[in-house]
Amino acid sequence: MASPTSTNPAHGHFESFLQAQFCKDVLSSFQGLCEALGLEPGGGLPQYHKIKAQLNYWSAKSLWAKLDKRAGQPVYQQGQACASTKCLVVGAGPCGLRAAVELALLGACVVLVEKRTKFSRHNVLHLWPFTIHDLRALGAKKFYGRFCTGTLDHISIRQLQLLLLKVALLLGVEIHWGVTFSGLQPPSGKGSGWRAQLQPSSPAQLANYEFDVLISAAGGKFVPEGFTVREMRGKLAIGITANFVNGRTVEETQVPEISGVARIYNQKFFQSLLKATGIDLENIVYYKDDTHYFVMTAKKQCLLRLGVLRQDLPETDRLLGSANVVPEALQHFARAAADFATHGKLGKLEFAQDAHGRPDISAFDFTSMLRAESSARVQEKHGARLLLGLVGDCLVEPFWPLGTGVARGFLAAFDAAWMVKRWAEGAEPLEVLAERESLYQLLSQTSPENMHRNVAQYGLDPATRYPNLNLRAVMPNQVRDLYDVVTKEPVRKSDKTDFSLPGSVGTQEDLLRWCQEQTAGYPGVHVTDLSSSWTDGLALCALVHRLRPSLLEPEELQGVGALEATTWALHAAEHELGITPVLSAQAVVAGSDPLGLIAYLSHFHSAFKSMSHNPGPIGQISPGTSSAVLFLGKLQRTLQRTRAKVEAEAPSTEELPVPEPSVPLTPPSQPEEASAGDLCALCGKHLYILERFCVDGHFFHRSCFRCHTCEATLWPGDYGQHPEDGHFYCLQHLPQPGHKEDDSEIGPENPVKTVSVGKGGVSAQNSALEGSFMGWGMPGQSQQVLKDIEKEEESPSSSEEEEEEEDFYALLPLTGPTLPQALLTLAKNSDTMNKYPTWRRTLLRRAKEEEMKRFCKAQTIQRRLNEIEAALRELEAEGVELELALRSQSSSPEQQKKLWLEQLLHLVQKKNSLVAEEAELMITVQELDLEEKQWQLDQELRGYMNREETLKTAADRQAEEQVLKKLVDVVNQRDALIRFQEERRLSEL
């Protein structure tokens, strides 16, 4: 064994290689190592074996052991699986480097080109459990001693690239810097192969390199020819990232990290932040690595008000360019949020610098997401086949702290390498493409929860990673358009448009037939059309009765007027069946809106399409899509009643989803105008059918129904109406009943006085800061435990402890306690846990992962809600065009009108489906919110109960009683949600 003070030049170069922190140092030290050993860099896997054989150095043996263990997996066939395959990888990001490593282990000749010459991305990535294990197996701790020590479960992009670069070099990947890939150069004739067009002029060896496989890992801005990209839009939300220099002082190490807070389930923190600083956020994360890394999404109105965005910009959904940002205001904004998030303990921080020497602070549009439609193609010319693949996350997600991008990116790298292996084995191109597309379908939905539990078994074979794997989900004949051959015939696409959805009503005749079946046998009801047959209200009442017989007896309709009966039916359908109206009772009786009536009746069919079409009473609500809408409506109305009570009154303990009493047959107290359903109650403009959004009997444009303070679109179950001013607010900005808080309605005429952006920094309210820290889900008495663990992270664990930790980690259950519960347990048993430091670290890491899962879940919901909102906007635009065509083109052929009406019905049903999904998501939001509220109230109550009775004041006892009542109320609400989910599960069974 060589000593640490060995004079062997190769040993010195190897140590420099391990410790290098910049690209140029990595490359120069590796070049020196190869020269000292008499080798040429980039010789493929044989080069690794030569380095290992010649470098008999004690410091390298543990690294060789890990790499040998990985390379020894049967799937690589001792480096012979792809020995005759030549690959070109474009891009040295984490995913491109990880793909290059896998291809090298397969024995392929791998060349990687990267247009940059340095790694300068400070942003910090959360790591899923399998990515941690995967990187450890490649020797990550050898290159970066602090890798995932203690409770650390993240790494900066720069550090991740550095360690993967070192592994790739050792495995013989040939890397070229400052080289831009600009396109493919097809074979010039028989016997020649595919080459790359590179800029600037490349060395002859690289320019003449002919390859069989091209892997593009250059991100969404560069997509090879033949691949299509679709842009998915959500609502406008500006994401801001900030990196501060980490001086690693004592004060800095003592500030605990924040795995993530999302407004969608923890509004208390964001209310405190807004009150103290005037900053209105939706998410915030704080990680420590080489920098203090913050990422947040901010409300657009807040950015405009504080001067971060220019006021003169037009309303647009385009990507936010750097010219649109006011740099000084943005820096003050970032510093204010950072000071608040870290409880003011970091003091004065300096911004890290980007590659151009400027403060590393940036802004981007949170909602512009690019997705590749296809992930692989095969091109053939002059007999030479080229396999092209895209590597990276199938969805480019800007919210990096979730770790979704790098985790799915690594999975995509494995899948691409598996595709290359199948290609090298001689599988037919269409078979390879079909398998790749089958895998690609899984990628966008992959999460730590739906992958194999044992991360140690993960390998190149997809079966080791995906429990529900079906490589035949896509058949070869379905991917013929991905195989480009000069002589093949183009694929013909059918011109016929199919407007049907599974279980949907396809035509007006289908809807009429369904209505006739459901209303058959009721006295006085004769449905012959979808207009005049409904004006007396009896047919509508009969339809409601058929779906819920307990609401009304048919005899009760005798002598009831048309308007009264119709009003009852609309009200009952909304409050007891979950079917919101799209037209007024007056419009139904007058027969003035036949298209609106058809759309409304299709809501009944959509909500209960799973029931039998045979006539006969239905005893209970169908477990279909309307159940979530109905429950959410009851939830919203109950919360509105609860909020309307004055704080002095006892908090309500009414259970949320209890059925409301039958709707009485009484006429409306305030008759609606005949045109109430045609005009928006907020803007006064015309409402087309698909635009109509009904709240408390009033109709709005969905785009008009926004928070009065932040102008964010309001989601079902997440808004309230202030009884004094009548405006609608999101729950974060809803003023408390009986109180007029100036801070709750912030605008140009009423600015926050506690923040000064661009004019001397930020002054935060200490009381708000102190109270807000509970919002992180971190009990105050356990913060010392976090500090102790943070100190442990500074010293890397030994290899033995690492293996012990991995073994113990694998034994942990799939679901575990949340972060607060775990920290409380550790605090109570700190003496015992000090005897087992490895277990202590592992348990705390597991607790952080559970908290991260909550955050990821909330983020996923928030993203999907944004996508639904964007999809609804598109449907509304299409619906307006169709409705205008139907109402204005009286001279159009009947066949054309019929086609337009079928298309309109199709859009209505798509909207119903999206609204139902939105309701399902908001129920999950309520679950997350109630869980957080219960924990916070429980901690608050424990604080009172732990005090000596003799030391409690009258105010303390009163406060304790109020907290207890609130806790009981929240428990009842959670119980109601659980019962709802269980009843629906049983009904579905």
Side-chain angles (χ1 to χ4, degrees):
M1 176 184 294
S3 66
T5 58
S6 173
T7 57
N8 188 327
H11 298 173
H13 288 300
F14 182 76
E15 288 295 339
S16 299
F17 176 70
L18 292 181
Q19 303 301 324
Q21 290 296 300
F22 298 96
C23 283
K24 61 178 182 178
D25 296 335
V26 172
L27 296 173
S28 63
S29 59
F30 185 73
Q31 179 70 36
L33 174 65
C34 290
E35 290 176 356
L37 298 176
L39 302 173
E40 188 70 26
L45 200 59
Q47 174 202 268
Y48 163 70
H49 294 297
K50 293 177 181 177
I51 293 177
K52 183 181 66 171
Q54 296 186 42
L55 192 63
N56 186 22
Y57 180 40
W58 68 271
S59 181
K61 289 186 176 180
S62 60
L63 178 60
W64 303 151
K66 286 187 175 292
L67 293 179
D68 284 347
K69 183 178 180 180
R70 179 77 187 196
Q73 293 181 6
V75 70
Y76 300 117
Q77 300 174 13
Q78 298 298 317
Q80 296 301 309
C82 299
S84 59
T85 303
K86 295 182 177 181
C87 304
L88 176 66
V89 179
V90 180
C95 299
L97 287 167
R98 190 64 190 86
V101 167
E102 283 303 304
L103 294 172
L105 289 170
L106 286 167
C109 174
V110 185
V111 174
L112 184 148
V113 294
E114 168 59 49
K115 66 179 181 180
R116 300 178 182 177
T117 57
K118 63 172 67 175
F119 296 150
S120 58
R121 298 167 65 188
H122 291 293
N123 292 341
V124 180
L125 301 171
H126 172 75
L127 296 178
W128 289 10
F130 96 84
T131 52
I132 295 175
H133 189 279
D134 177 68
L135 291 169
R136 276 180 171 166
L138 294 176
K141 286 187 69 65
K142 193 69 178 176
F143 303 115
Y144 183 48
R146 299 185 71 250
F147 177 78
C148 288
T149 53
T151 60
L152 287 176
D153 55 2
H154 51 73
I155 190 172
S156 71
I157 298 178
R158 193 183 73 85
Q159 284 289 353
L160 179 58
Q161 288 176 285
L162 280 173
L163 70 88
L164 287 173
L165 171 64
K166 295 174 183 179
V167 175
L169 288 170
L170 286 173
L171 295 178
V173 176
E174 181 180 329
I175 298 178
H176 296 270
W177 299 96
V179 177
T180 301
F181 176 87
S182 57
L184 283 169
Q185 184 175 334
S188 57
K190 190 77 172 179
S192 61
W194 293 82
R195 292 184 292 174
Q197 296 176 359
L198 305 171
Q199 297 175 345
S201 299
S202 305
Q205 181 181 358
L206 180 59
N208 296 325
Y209 178 62
E210 295 184 351
F211 45 86
D212 312 295
V213 176
L214 170 66
I215 299 293
S216 173
K221 294 183 179 179
F222 172 77
V223 180
E225 184 180 356
F227 289 83
T228 57
V229 169
R230 181 178 63 181
E231 187 172 1
M232 303 171 60
R233 292 284 186 176
K235 73 173 185 178
L236 186 67
I238 309 301
I240 295 175
T241 63
N243 285 278
F244 294 88
V245 173
N246 188 351
R248 304 193 185 279
T249 63
V250 175
E251 291 78 11
E252 288 172 285
T253 58
Q254 289 180 345
V255 179
E257 295 177 327
I258 311 302
S259 295
V261 177
R263 180 184 62 85
I264 205 166
Y265 76 91
N266 187 351
Q267 299 182 3
K268 181 178 179 181
F269 167 79
F270 295 98
Q271 289 170 343
S272 301
L273 172 65
L274 177 63
K275 186 175 181 180
T277 68
I279 293 175
D280 204 359
L281 299 182
E282 291 189 342
N283 309 279
I284 189 166
V285 165
Y286 164 52
Y287 283 151
K288 277 186 292 188
D289 203 270
D290 292 335
T291 64
H292 297 280
Y293 169 67
F294 298 87
V295 60
M296 61 204 87
T297 52
K299 302 283 185 66
K300 179 185 175 184
Q301 288 303 314
C302 169
L303 296 175
L304 287 170
R305 173 169 47 80
L306 297 179
V308 176
L309 293 182
R310 289 185 357 215
Q311 296 281 355
D312 57 342
L313 286 179
E315 191 71 29
T316 179
D317 282 343
R318 291 194 303 268
L319 281 173
L320 183 68
S322 58
N324 297 339
V325 181
V326 182
E328 183 182 1
L330 182 57
Q331 290 187 30
H332 283 285
F333 181 96
R335 189 177 299 282
D339 288 343
F340 187 90
T342 56
H343 213 206
K345 292 184 177 179
L346 290 183
K348 183 67 174 177
L349 293 175
E350 297 296 332
F351 278 103
Q353 292 184 341
D354 62 15
H356 304 286
R358 298 171 303 197
D360 189 2
I361 184 167
S362 58
F364 53 86
D365 185 345
F366 183 38
T367 61
S368 292
M369 296 177 279
L370 303 177
R371 188 177 70 180
E373 293 285 357
S374 303
S375 55
R377 298 187 74 90
V378 173
Q379 294 185 6
E380 183 175 346
K381 189 173 183 181
H382 296 301
R385 287 175 177 169
L386 174 67
L387 178 63
L388 299 97
L390 292 180
V391 168
D393 186 9
C394 62
L395 191 65
V396 181
E397 296 166 275
F399 208 71
W400 303 298
L402 297 180
T404 309
V406 70
R408 291 180 182 166
F410 275 24
L411 293 174
F414 298 155
D415 295 341
W418 175 258
M419 176 179 63
V420 176
K421 179 178 183 294
R422 297 279 291 120
W423 171 269
E425 291 171 345
E428 288 299 316
L430 289 177
E431 185 177 350
V432 172
L433 291 171
E435 286 189 6
R436 181 66 186 94
E437 291 304 299
S438 299
L439 287 171
Y440 182 76
Q441 290 183 348
L442 295 174
L443 192 59
S444 63
Q445 305 166 14
T446 301
S447 67
E449 289 74 30
N450 59 21
M451 298 180 68
H452 277 308
R453 179 71 184 96
N454 185 5
V455 297
Q457 75 175 11
Y458 285 19
L460 198 61
D461 190 337
T464 63
R465 297 175 267 124
Y466 304 117
N468 301 314
L469 180 64
N470 178 14
L471 291 177
R472 306 291 289 176
V474 177
M475 302 303 292
N477 64 340
Q478 295 176 269
V479 293
R480 290 187 180 276
D481 59 319
L482 302 180
Y483 186 17
D484 300 326
V485 183
V486 174
T487 58
K488 78 170 185 177
E489 295 183 1
V491 178
R492 297 179 179 270
K493 294 186 178 180
S494 174
D495 295 329
K496 184 178 179 180
T497 304
D498 183 11
F499 296 108
S500 62
L501 290 174
S504 66
V505 52
T507 65
Q508 184 177 353
E509 290 75 13
D510 295 336
L511 180 60
L512 176 60
R513 189 180 309 112
W514 183 83
C515 291
Q516 289 172 334
E517 291 174 353
Q518 301 309 316
T519 58
Y522 284 89
V525 178
H526 303 286
V527 176
T528 59
D529 55 34
L530 295 176
S531 55
S532 60
S533 298
W534 304 84
T535 56
D536 59 4
L538 296 181
L540 204 54
C541 289
L543 189 58
V544 172
H545 179 268
R546 176 58 55 89
L547 300 174
R548 185 66 72 84
S550 61
L551 294 181
L552 179 74
E553 291 299 326
E555 296 78 17
E556 297 181 45
L557 293 174
Q558 295 181 2
V560 176
L563 181 60
E564 185 179 351
T566 304
T567 300
W568 177 88
L570 293 175
H571 194 268
E574 179 180 9
H575 290 260
E576 298 297 334
L577 302 177
I579 303 174
T580 55
V582 295
L583 75 172
S584 64
Q586 287 82 358
V588 176
V589 173
S592 59
D593 192 1
L595 288 179
L597 179 61
I598 291 174
Y600 181 57
L601 293 175
S602 73
H603 285 204
F604 280 85
H605 184 276
S606 296
F608 301 98
K609 60 190 175 187
S610 60
M611 67 182 220
S612 171
H613 280 253
N614 297 325
I618 298 172
Q620 61 181 5
I621 190 169
S622 165
T625 57
S626 69
S627 58
V629 179
L630 173 62
F631 177 83
L632 200 60
K634 290 179 179 291
L635 175 70
Q636 181 70 52
R637 292 189 293 275
T638 305
L639 289 177
Q640 290 280 58
R641 290 195 297 268
T642 302
R643 294 188 202 105
K645 296 183 179 181
V646 183
E647 288 183 343
E649 299 179 5
S652 169
T653 57
E654 179 184 356
E655 298 177 357
L656 293 180
V658 293
E660 296 182 350
S662 298
V663 182
L665 271 172
T666 56
S669 56
Q670 296 179 346
E672 303 175 61
E673 297 292 334
S675 61
D678 295 333
L679 300 178
C680 175
L682 288 174
C683 72
K685 295 182 180 179
H686 185 77
L687 275 171
Y688 293 92
I689 293 171
L690 263 78
E691 292 180 319
R692 296 173 188 174
F693 183 71
C694 184
V695 177
D696 296 334
H698 300 283
F699 292 91
F700 307 92
H701 289 103
R702 189 179 176 96
S703 58
C704 291
F705 194 59
R706 296 178 176 271
C707 174
H708 184 65
T709 297
C710 67
E711 298 189 7
T713 301
L714 298 175
W715 287 318
D718 193 44
Y719 68 86
Q721 186 176 18
H722 194 264
E724 297 179 11
D725 60 23
H727 295 304
F728 291 96
Y729 298 86
C730 65
L731 296 186
Q732 180 181 347
H733 299 111
L734 179 64
Q736 294 299 317
H739 293 268
K740 294 183 179 179
E741 298 185 7
D742 293 338
D743 290 341
S744 66
E745 189 168 338
I746 303 168
E749 69 284 350
N750 185 24
V752 174
K753 298 181 177 61
T754 57
V755 62
S756 174
V757 178
K759 300 174 184 180
V762 176
S763 172
Q765 299 176 354
N766 291 334
S767 58
L769 283 172
E770 293 294 335
S772 70
F773 205 64
M774 290 292 290
W776 296 124
M778 216 177 295
Q781 61 265 44
S782 299
Q783 292 178 28
Q784 186 58 44
V785 179
L786 257 184
K787 294 177 182 178
D788 294 342
I789 299 300
E790 293 281 343
K791 292 178 181 177
E792 290 179 13
E793 292 171 359
E794 297 300 320
S795 56
S797 57
S798 66
S799 299
E800 292 78 8
E801 285 182 332
E802 179 184 324
E803 298 300 329
E804 178 188 349
E805 186 173 339
E806 289 183 17
D807 295 339
F808 182 78
Y809 183 83
L811 297 175
L812 290 175
L814 183 60
T815 58
T818 61
L819 172 61
Q821 294 168 329
L823 290 176
L824 280 175
T825 302
L826 287 172
K828 292 178 180 178
N829 302 282
S830 57
D831 293 339
T832 303
M833 292 307 296
N834 282 335
K835 301 177 182 177
Y836 306 98
T838 304
W839 285 16
R840 187 182 189 212
R841 285 195 301 268
T842 305
L843 283 173
L844 190 55
R845 177 185 296 166
R846 185 61 176 169
K848 287 185 68 176
E849 286 179 359
E850 292 300 320
E851 184 69 11
M852 195 64 189
K853 286 179 184 178
R854 268 174 69 84
F855 183 50
C856 291
K857 186 176 182 180
Q859 278 296 318
T860 301
I861 293 172
Q862 199 157 308
R863 261 198 312 276
R864 182 55 188 155
L865 287 171
N866 292 339
E867 293 171 3
I868 290 175
E869 183 184 337
L872 287 172
R873 283 202 302 266
E874 293 177 2
L875 287 178
E876 289 173 1
E878 293 181 46
V880 169
E881 291 183 9
L882 284 172
E883 189 174 344
L884 285 172
L886 283 166
R887 294 185 186 276
S888 61
Q889 301 296 328
S890 56
S891 59
S892 299
E894 289 300 318
Q895 189 65 28
Q896 181 64 59
K897 291 182 180 179
K898 184 178 180 181
L899 178 61
W900 284 339
L901 185 56
E902 290 178 12
Q903 294 179 26
L904 186 65
L905 281 173
H906 169 72
L907 295 181
V908 168
Q909 291 162 52
K910 285 181 68 176
K911 178 180 178 180
N912 293 342
S913 177
L914 289 172
V915 169
E917 183 186 357
E918 182 181 56
E920 295 278 0
L921 293 173
M922 289 309 301
I923 289 175
T924 307
V925 169
Q926 294 293 338
E927 291 176 334
L928 290 170
D929 186 54
L930 290 173
E931 287 174 9
E932 187 72 20
K933 286 180 179 177
Q934 181 176 345
W935 181 84
Q936 290 177 351
L937 289 169
D938 180 71
Q939 295 302 308
E940 193 174 349
L941 183 62
R942 288 177 184 272
Y944 285 114
M945 295 177 66
N946 290 337
R947 298 181 190 176
E948 292 288 342
E949 284 295 327
T950 56
L951 300 178
K952 291 182 183 179
T953 64
D956 289 339
R957 293 189 177 91
Q958 184 179 4
E960 181 179 349
E961 183 179 353
Q962 291 296 322
V963 171
L964 178 59
K965 290 180 179 179
K966 290 180 181 178
L967 182 60
V968 171
D969 187 41
V970 170
V971 169
N972 285 336
Q973 293 175 33
R974 285 196 68 188
D975 182 62
L977 282 169
I978 293 171
R979 283 208 314 274
F980 165 73
Q981 300 283 20
E982 181 63 17
E983 289 171 3
R984 184 166 57 173
R985 185 185 68 83
L986 293 175
S987 65
E988 289 172 351
L989 290 176

